[in-house]
Amino acid sequence: MRRVAAIYRRELLSYFTSPVAYIILFVFLLANGVTFYFFINAFQGRIDDILRSLYGGIVFWFLILLIPPLLTMRAFSEEKRSGTYELLVTTGISDTALVAGKFLASWTYFMFLWGTLWPFLWMLESVANPEWGVLIAFHFGIALIGLVFCAVGLFASTLTQNQLASASVAMVLNLLVFFMSYFRSFFQPGDLALRYFDYVSPAYHFVNDFANGVIDIRYVVLYGSFSLAFLFVAVKALEWRRWW
């Protein structure tokens, strides 16, 4: 456990000392600030509409899909390219500890980014009465989706030494998860297959559950299982590449 904590501290510190991380933070705040200003004017102060658009619009999903691959693309790709991965392995740190520490660090920074939006929400509190239960549900959903997409990004980073290739693979996998909601049009209402697609679709969960302040424990199991599956595959990919 101490080795996981050491890797976690090392990786988290690297985020706050990396210019790329600050560029991501700048773009994140700029995109959300402009979107926030636009929706305030577009919806004439209607808080419910502002929040639903801010946490479910195109900009929101663009950031959700893009940021985790950018945060994780150098996790193992850079280690292998620079040769530091071999040094870490010789210290006795297991692949499981490496994956766990890097995963927790990337997810922490991902949630830090979304935590920077709370000043916007406190501004709304001064002029209106937003539903804090809905806001908590939104951020709970973001945390769950972040678990999956950060795990996907780490897995992609174990496959190649090229950071751009790693980010591209992770982005494609994330898009496949996101576009599950669009397969609903191929089924009739009441079809059993439609229920399966709805259950695994992040977009459906945000529109129909988190947007209404609903937090379902089944989603914790769902996203947690997906995350563990990708982390497990990432560990096995590292073990396989070590022997080949």
Side-chain angles (χ1 to χ4, degrees), residues 7 10-11 14 72-89 93 98-99 101-102 154 157-158 160-163 238 241:
I7 294 295
R10 171 180 176 268
E11 291 298 315
S14 70
T72 57
M73 66 181 182
R74 58 179 293 275
F76 289 102
S77 300
E78 180 65 18
E79 299 275 14
K80 293 176 180 179
R81 188 190 65 81
S82 61
T84 55
Y85 174 71
E86 286 74 13
L87 292 176
L88 286 173
V89 172
I93 298 177
L98 279 174
V99 169
K102 288 176 177 289
L154 275 179
S157 185
T158 63
T160 175
Q161 296 182 7
N162 187 296
Q163 296 185 32
L238 288 177
R241 290 178 66 90

mmCIF file of all heavy atoms in Angstrom, residues 7 10-11 14 72-89 93 98-99 101-102 154 157-158 160-163 238 241:
data_model
loop_
_atom_site.group_PDB
_atom_site.id
_atom_site.type_symbol
_atom_site.label_atom_id
_atom_site.label_comp_id
_atom_site.label_asym_id
_atom_site.label_seq_id
_atom_site.Cartn_x
_atom_site.Cartn_y
_atom_site.Cartn_z
ATOM 1 N N ILE A 7 3.722 6.042 -5.549
ATOM 2 C CA ILE A 7 3.472 6.265 -6.973
ATOM 3 C C ILE A 7 2.399 7.330 -7.155
ATOM 4 O O ILE A 7 2.507 8.203 -8.036
ATOM 5 C CB ILE A 7 3.044 4.946 -7.657
ATOM 6 C CG1 ILE A 7 4.201 3.936 -7.642
ATOM 7 C CG2 ILE A 7 2.593 5.202 -9.085
ATOM 8 C CD1 ILE A 7 5.398 4.363 -8.448
ATOM 9 N N ARG A 10 3.893 10.753 -6.500
ATOM 10 C CA ARG A 10 4.814 11.099 -7.598
ATOM 11 C C ARG A 10 4.046 11.542 -8.832
ATOM 12 O O ARG A 10 4.381 12.563 -9.469
ATOM 13 C CB ARG A 10 5.690 9.889 -7.913
ATOM 14 C CG ARG A 10 6.546 10.002 -9.168
ATOM 15 C CD ARG A 10 7.353 8.734 -9.360
ATOM 16 N NE ARG A 10 8.129 8.742 -10.584
ATOM 17 C CZ ARG A 10 7.701 8.250 -11.746
ATOM 18 N NH1 ARG A 10 6.475 7.704 -11.817
ATOM 19 N NH2 ARG A 10 8.459 8.278 -12.821
ATOM 20 N N GLU A 11 3.017 10.792 -9.195
ATOM 21 C CA GLU A 11 2.256 11.113 -10.399
ATOM 22 C C GLU A 11 1.425 12.374 -10.228
ATOM 23 O O GLU A 11 1.335 13.195 -11.143
ATOM 24 C CB GLU A 11 1.352 9.933 -10.765
ATOM 25 C CG GLU A 11 2.099 8.720 -11.257
ATOM 26 C CD GLU A 11 2.872 8.990 -12.530
ATOM 27 O OE1 GLU A 11 2.302 9.621 -13.443
ATOM 28 O OE2 GLU A 11 4.035 8.597 -12.611
ATOM 29 N N SER A 14 3.540 15.333 -10.543
ATOM 30 C CA SER A 14 3.935 15.566 -11.932
ATOM 31 C C SER A 14 2.858 16.316 -12.707
ATOM 32 O O SER A 14 3.163 17.083 -13.625
ATOM 33 C CB SER A 14 4.245 14.234 -12.624
ATOM 34 O OG SER A 14 3.067 13.472 -12.835
ATOM 35 N N THR A 72 -3.789 10.702 -19.241
ATOM 36 C CA THR A 72 -3.181 9.375 -19.068
ATOM 37 C C THR A 72 -2.268 8.957 -20.214
ATOM 38 O O THR A 72 -1.628 7.914 -20.132
ATOM 39 C CB THR A 72 -4.276 8.297 -18.916
ATOM 40 O OG1 THR A 72 -5.141 8.337 -20.067
ATOM 41 C CG2 THR A 72 -5.108 8.543 -17.669
ATOM 42 N N MET A 73 -2.189 9.772 -21.278
ATOM 43 C CA MET A 73 -1.460 9.324 -22.464
ATOM 44 C C MET A 73 0.030 9.128 -22.193
ATOM 45 O O MET A 73 0.694 8.338 -22.871
ATOM 46 C CB MET A 73 -1.659 10.324 -23.614
ATOM 47 C CG MET A 73 -1.060 11.686 -23.379
ATOM 48 S SD MET A 73 -1.376 12.804 -24.773
ATOM 49 C CE MET A 73 -0.510 14.281 -24.215
ATOM 50 N N ARG A 74 0.572 9.826 -21.197
ATOM 51 C CA ARG A 74 2.000 9.698 -20.912
ATOM 52 C C ARG A 74 2.289 8.764 -19.743
ATOM 53 O O ARG A 74 3.455 8.579 -19.382
ATOM 54 C CB ARG A 74 2.596 11.077 -20.598
ATOM 55 C CG ARG A 74 1.928 11.777 -19.423
ATOM 56 C CD ARG A 74 2.559 13.130 -19.143
ATOM 57 N NE ARG A 74 3.913 13.000 -18.658
ATOM 58 C CZ ARG A 74 4.232 12.806 -17.396
ATOM 59 N NH1 ARG A 74 3.276 12.715 -16.475
ATOM 60 N NH2 ARG A 74 5.492 12.702 -17.033
ATOM 61 N N ALA A 75 1.243 8.176 -19.165
ATOM 62 C CA ALA A 75 1.407 7.392 -17.938
ATOM 63 C C ALA A 75 2.462 6.310 -18.085
ATOM 64 O O ALA A 75 3.406 6.215 -17.291
ATOM 65 C CB ALA A 75 0.064 6.791 -17.528
ATOM 66 N N PHE A 76 2.316 5.472 -19.107
ATOM 67 C CA PHE A 76 3.294 4.416 -19.358
ATOM 68 C C PHE A 76 4.058 4.647 -20.655
ATOM 69 O O PHE A 76 5.186 4.169 -20.802
ATOM 70 C CB PHE A 76 2.609 3.053 -19.391
ATOM 71 C CG PHE A 76 2.128 2.596 -18.041
ATOM 72 C CD1 PHE A 76 0.787 2.701 -17.695
ATOM 73 C CD2 PHE A 76 3.017 2.091 -17.113
ATOM 74 C CE1 PHE A 76 0.343 2.297 -16.447
ATOM 75 C CE2 PHE A 76 2.582 1.689 -15.862
ATOM 76 C CZ PHE A 76 1.240 1.795 -15.519
ATOM 77 N N SER A 77 3.459 5.364 -21.597
ATOM 78 C CA SER A 77 4.140 5.634 -22.859
ATOM 79 C C SER A 77 5.433 6.398 -22.631
ATOM 80 O O SER A 77 6.490 6.058 -23.179
ATOM 81 C CB SER A 77 3.215 6.433 -23.786
ATOM 82 O OG SER A 77 2.031 5.717 -24.058
ATOM 83 N N GLU A 78 5.370 7.444 -21.805
ATOM 84 C CA GLU A 78 6.561 8.242 -21.523
ATOM 85 C C GLU A 78 7.571 7.464 -20.694
ATOM 86 O O GLU A 78 8.787 7.593 -20.890
ATOM 87 C CB GLU A 78 6.152 9.528 -20.797
ATOM 88 C CG GLU A 78 7.300 10.464 -20.446
ATOM 89 C CD GLU A 78 7.993 11.028 -21.675
ATOM 90 O OE1 GLU A 78 7.395 10.976 -22.769
ATOM 91 O OE2 GLU A 78 9.128 11.500 -21.544
ATOM 92 N N GLU A 79 7.082 6.654 -19.758
ATOM 93 C CA GLU A 79 7.984 5.843 -18.932
ATOM 94 C C GLU A 79 8.795 4.894 -19.813
ATOM 95 O O GLU A 79 10.010 4.729 -19.615
ATOM 96 C CB GLU A 79 7.179 5.037 -17.912
ATOM 97 C CG GLU A 79 6.369 5.864 -16.926
ATOM 98 C CD GLU A 79 7.193 6.296 -15.728
ATOM 99 O OE1 GLU A 79 8.425 6.185 -15.784
ATOM 100 O OE2 GLU A 79 6.600 6.763 -14.745
ATOM 101 N N LYS A 80 8.149 4.274 -20.779
ATOM 102 C CA LYS A 80 8.843 3.321 -21.646
ATOM 103 C C LYS A 80 9.765 4.027 -22.634
ATOM 104 O O LYS A 80 10.851 3.549 -22.930
ATOM 105 C CB LYS A 80 7.826 2.468 -22.386
ATOM 106 C CG LYS A 80 7.035 1.535 -21.468
ATOM 107 C CD LYS A 80 5.981 0.778 -22.235
ATOM 108 C CE LYS A 80 5.215 -0.150 -21.308
ATOM 109 N NZ LYS A 80 4.152 -0.893 -21.998
ATOM 110 N N ARG A 81 9.327 5.176 -23.126
ATOM 111 C CA ARG A 81 10.147 5.896 -24.102
ATOM 112 C C ARG A 81 11.432 6.417 -23.465
ATOM 113 O O ARG A 81 12.506 6.380 -24.074
ATOM 114 C CB ARG A 81 9.349 7.062 -24.686
ATOM 115 C CG ARG A 81 10.041 7.768 -25.852
ATOM 116 C CD ARG A 81 9.311 9.041 -26.211
ATOM 117 N NE ARG A 81 9.389 9.994 -25.124
ATOM 118 C CZ ARG A 81 10.432 10.783 -24.891
ATOM 119 N NH1 ARG A 81 11.514 10.705 -25.655
ATOM 120 N NH2 ARG A 81 10.423 11.629 -23.882
ATOM 121 N N SER A 82 11.324 6.908 -22.223
ATOM 122 C CA SER A 82 12.486 7.483 -21.546
ATOM 123 C C SER A 82 13.328 6.439 -20.817
ATOM 124 O O SER A 82 14.434 6.735 -20.359
ATOM 125 C CB SER A 82 12.026 8.550 -20.542
ATOM 126 O OG SER A 82 11.189 7.986 -19.543
ATOM 127 N N GLY A 83 12.781 5.221 -20.663
ATOM 128 C CA GLY A 83 13.525 4.161 -19.993
ATOM 129 C C GLY A 83 13.337 4.111 -18.494
ATOM 130 O O GLY A 83 13.947 3.266 -17.824
ATOM 131 N N THR A 84 12.498 4.985 -17.931
ATOM 132 C CA THR A 84 12.291 4.990 -16.473
ATOM 133 C C THR A 84 11.417 3.831 -16.021
ATOM 134 O O THR A 84 11.412 3.497 -14.830
ATOM 135 C CB THR A 84 11.657 6.320 -16.028
ATOM 136 O OG1 THR A 84 10.441 6.531 -16.774
ATOM 137 C CG2 THR A 84 12.591 7.484 -16.266
ATOM 138 N N TYR A 85 10.658 3.233 -16.940
ATOM 139 C CA TYR A 85 9.819 2.100 -16.550
ATOM 140 C C TYR A 85 10.678 0.938 -16.067
ATOM 141 O O TYR A 85 10.362 0.288 -15.067
ATOM 142 C CB TYR A 85 8.940 1.663 -17.731
ATOM 143 C CG TYR A 85 8.153 0.406 -17.461
ATOM 144 C CD1 TYR A 85 7.092 0.413 -16.568
ATOM 145 C CD2 TYR A 85 8.493 -0.793 -18.086
ATOM 146 C CE1 TYR A 85 6.372 -0.745 -16.305
ATOM 147 C CE2 TYR A 85 7.777 -1.950 -17.837
ATOM 148 C CZ TYR A 85 6.719 -1.920 -16.944
ATOM 149 O OH TYR A 85 6.022 -3.063 -16.681
ATOM 150 N N GLU A 86 11.770 0.675 -16.760
ATOM 151 C CA GLU A 86 12.663 -0.408 -16.349
ATOM 152 C C GLU A 86 13.265 -0.133 -14.969
ATOM 153 O O GLU A 86 13.450 -1.048 -14.156
ATOM 154 C CB GLU A 86 13.778 -0.594 -17.375
ATOM 155 C CG GLU A 86 13.334 -1.269 -18.671
ATOM 156 C CD GLU A 86 12.520 -0.348 -19.562
ATOM 157 O OE1 GLU A 86 12.509 0.876 -19.293
ATOM 158 O OE2 GLU A 86 11.882 -0.848 -20.517
ATOM 159 N N LEU A 87 13.576 1.140 -14.698
ATOM 160 C CA LEU A 87 14.113 1.497 -13.387
ATOM 161 C C LEU A 87 13.090 1.253 -12.283
ATOM 162 O O LEU A 87 13.419 0.769 -11.195
ATOM 163 C CB LEU A 87 14.556 2.964 -13.379
ATOM 164 C CG LEU A 87 15.760 3.317 -14.255
ATOM 165 C CD1 LEU A 87 16.013 4.822 -14.214
ATOM 166 C CD2 LEU A 87 16.993 2.556 -13.787
ATOM 167 N N LEU A 88 11.829 1.594 -12.566
ATOM 168 C CA LEU A 88 10.777 1.367 -11.583
ATOM 169 C C LEU A 88 10.592 -0.123 -11.308
ATOM 170 O O LEU A 88 10.391 -0.538 -10.160
ATOM 171 C CB LEU A 88 9.459 1.986 -12.074
ATOM 172 C CG LEU A 88 9.347 3.507 -12.030
ATOM 173 C CD1 LEU A 88 8.065 3.963 -12.708
ATOM 174 C CD2 LEU A 88 9.383 4.008 -10.596
ATOM 175 N N VAL A 89 10.639 -0.909 -12.361
ATOM 176 C CA VAL A 89 10.448 -2.352 -12.201
ATOM 177 C C VAL A 89 11.554 -2.968 -11.358
ATOM 178 O O VAL A 89 11.316 -3.841 -10.512
ATOM 179 C CB VAL A 89 10.370 -3.032 -13.586
ATOM 180 C CG1 VAL A 89 10.371 -4.549 -13.430
ATOM 181 C CG2 VAL A 89 9.111 -2.589 -14.321
ATOM 182 N N ILE A 93 8.743 -2.589 -7.406
ATOM 183 C CA ILE A 93 7.346 -2.145 -7.460
ATOM 184 C C ILE A 93 6.592 -3.005 -8.466
ATOM 185 O O ILE A 93 7.030 -3.159 -9.612
ATOM 186 C CB ILE A 93 7.253 -0.663 -7.854
ATOM 187 C CG1 ILE A 93 7.943 0.204 -6.812
ATOM 188 C CG2 ILE A 93 5.806 -0.221 -8.007
ATOM 189 C CD1 ILE A 93 7.970 1.680 -7.154
ATOM 190 N N LEU A 98 1.909 0.049 -9.749
ATOM 191 C CA LEU A 98 2.115 1.117 -10.725
ATOM 192 C C LEU A 98 0.800 1.564 -11.339
ATOM 193 O O LEU A 98 0.501 2.759 -11.420
ATOM 194 C CB LEU A 98 3.058 0.635 -11.835
ATOM 195 C CG LEU A 98 4.561 0.669 -11.548
ATOM 196 C CD1 LEU A 98 5.323 0.013 -12.691
ATOM 197 C CD2 LEU A 98 5.029 2.101 -11.343
ATOM 198 N N VAL A 99 -0.003 0.592 -11.771
ATOM 199 C CA VAL A 99 -1.285 0.917 -12.408
ATOM 200 C C VAL A 99 -2.215 1.603 -11.408
ATOM 201 O O VAL A 99 -2.856 2.602 -11.739
ATOM 202 C CB VAL A 99 -1.930 -0.366 -12.973
ATOM 203 C CG1 VAL A 99 -3.372 -0.095 -13.405
ATOM 204 C CG2 VAL A 99 -1.120 -0.890 -14.145
ATOM 205 N N GLY A 101 -1.473 3.334 -8.617
ATOM 206 C CA GLY A 101 -1.015 4.672 -8.264
ATOM 207 C C GLY A 101 -1.248 5.681 -9.374
ATOM 208 O O GLY A 101 -1.725 6.794 -9.131
ATOM 209 N N LYS A 102 -0.935 5.304 -10.602
ATOM 210 C CA LYS A 102 -1.121 6.205 -11.740
ATOM 211 C C LYS A 102 -2.606 6.452 -12.006
ATOM 212 O O LYS A 102 -3.007 7.571 -12.354
ATOM 213 C CB LYS A 102 -0.445 5.617 -12.983
ATOM 214 C CG LYS A 102 1.075 5.658 -12.932
ATOM 215 C CD LYS A 102 1.674 4.965 -14.136
ATOM 216 C CE LYS A 102 3.199 5.064 -14.132
ATOM 217 N NZ LYS A 102 3.670 6.430 -14.407
ATOM 218 N N LEU A 154 -5.355 4.583 -19.206
ATOM 219 C CA LEU A 154 -4.180 3.862 -18.710
ATOM 220 C C LEU A 154 -3.931 2.588 -19.517
ATOM 221 O O LEU A 154 -2.795 2.258 -19.841
ATOM 222 C CB LEU A 154 -4.353 3.516 -17.236
ATOM 223 C CG LEU A 154 -3.957 4.588 -16.223
ATOM 224 C CD1 LEU A 154 -4.224 4.090 -14.812
ATOM 225 C CD2 LEU A 154 -2.497 4.957 -16.370
ATOM 226 N N SER A 157 -2.369 3.461 -22.709
ATOM 227 C CA SER A 157 -0.976 3.887 -22.540
ATOM 228 C C SER A 157 -0.019 2.711 -22.411
ATOM 229 O O SER A 157 1.178 2.848 -22.691
ATOM 230 C CB SER A 157 -0.852 4.791 -21.314
ATOM 231 O OG SER A 157 0.439 5.321 -21.179
ATOM 232 N N THR A 158 -0.527 1.556 -21.989
ATOM 233 C CA THR A 158 0.342 0.378 -21.872
ATOM 234 C C THR A 158 0.608 -0.279 -23.221
ATOM 235 O O THR A 158 1.501 -1.132 -23.326
ATOM 236 C CB THR A 158 -0.294 -0.679 -20.936
ATOM 237 O OG1 THR A 158 -1.522 -1.144 -21.515
ATOM 238 C CG2 THR A 158 -0.551 -0.096 -19.554
ATOM 239 N N THR A 160 1.462 1.250 -26.208
ATOM 240 C CA THR A 160 2.360 1.913 -27.142
ATOM 241 C C THR A 160 3.283 2.873 -26.418
ATOM 242 O O THR A 160 2.976 3.312 -25.297
ATOM 243 C CB THR A 160 1.554 2.689 -28.209
ATOM 244 O OG1 THR A 160 2.436 3.423 -29.060
ATOM 245 C CG2 THR A 160 0.594 3.661 -27.552
ATOM 246 N N GLN A 161 4.405 3.216 -27.060
ATOM 247 C CA GLN A 161 5.319 4.210 -26.529
ATOM 248 C C GLN A 161 5.034 5.601 -27.072
ATOM 249 O O GLN A 161 5.664 6.564 -26.655
ATOM 250 C CB GLN A 161 6.761 3.832 -26.863
ATOM 251 C CG GLN A 161 7.229 2.536 -26.226
ATOM 252 C CD GLN A 161 8.682 2.234 -26.544
ATOM 253 O OE1 GLN A 161 9.382 3.043 -27.140
ATOM 254 N NE2 GLN A 161 9.139 1.056 -26.137
ATOM 255 N N ASN A 162 4.084 5.703 -27.982
ATOM 256 C CA ASN A 162 3.724 6.984 -28.589
ATOM 257 C C ASN A 162 2.536 7.584 -27.838
ATOM 258 O O ASN A 162 1.472 6.967 -27.753
ATOM 259 C CB ASN A 162 3.384 6.787 -30.064
ATOM 260 C CG ASN A 162 3.170 8.095 -30.790
ATOM 261 O OD1 ASN A 162 2.253 8.848 -30.497
ATOM 262 N ND2 ASN A 162 4.038 8.376 -31.751
ATOM 263 N N GLN A 163 2.717 8.790 -27.304
ATOM 264 C CA GLN A 163 1.664 9.396 -26.506
ATOM 265 C C GLN A 163 0.426 9.726 -27.334
ATOM 266 O O GLN A 163 -0.710 9.534 -26.873
ATOM 267 C CB GLN A 163 2.189 10.666 -25.843
ATOM 268 C CG GLN A 163 3.307 10.427 -24.849
ATOM 269 C CD GLN A 163 3.727 11.683 -24.125
ATOM 270 O OE1 GLN A 163 2.918 12.567 -23.877
ATOM 271 N NE2 GLN A 163 4.998 11.779 -23.780
ATOM 272 N N LEU A 238 1.023 -4.975 -19.240
ATOM 273 C CA LEU A 238 2.377 -4.681 -18.769
ATOM 274 C C LEU A 238 3.162 -5.967 -18.538
ATOM 275 O O LEU A 238 4.343 -6.057 -18.890
ATOM 276 C CB LEU A 238 2.320 -3.864 -17.478
ATOM 277 C CG LEU A 238 1.888 -2.404 -17.595
ATOM 278 C CD1 LEU A 238 1.821 -1.766 -16.211
ATOM 279 C CD2 LEU A 238 2.846 -1.621 -18.480
ATOM 280 N N ARG A 241 4.119 -7.437 -21.965
ATOM 281 C CA ARG A 241 5.172 -6.691 -22.658
ATOM 282 C C ARG A 241 6.520 -6.861 -21.949
ATOM 283 O O ARG A 241 7.566 -6.694 -22.576
ATOM 284 C CB ARG A 241 4.794 -5.210 -22.745
ATOM 285 C CG ARG A 241 3.656 -4.924 -23.694
ATOM 286 C CD ARG A 241 3.304 -3.439 -23.694
ATOM 287 N NE ARG A 241 4.403 -2.655 -24.232
ATOM 288 C CZ ARG A 241 4.558 -2.354 -25.517
ATOM 289 N NH1 ARG A 241 3.692 -2.815 -26.408
ATOM 290 N NH2 ARG A 241 5.574 -1.633 -25.929
#
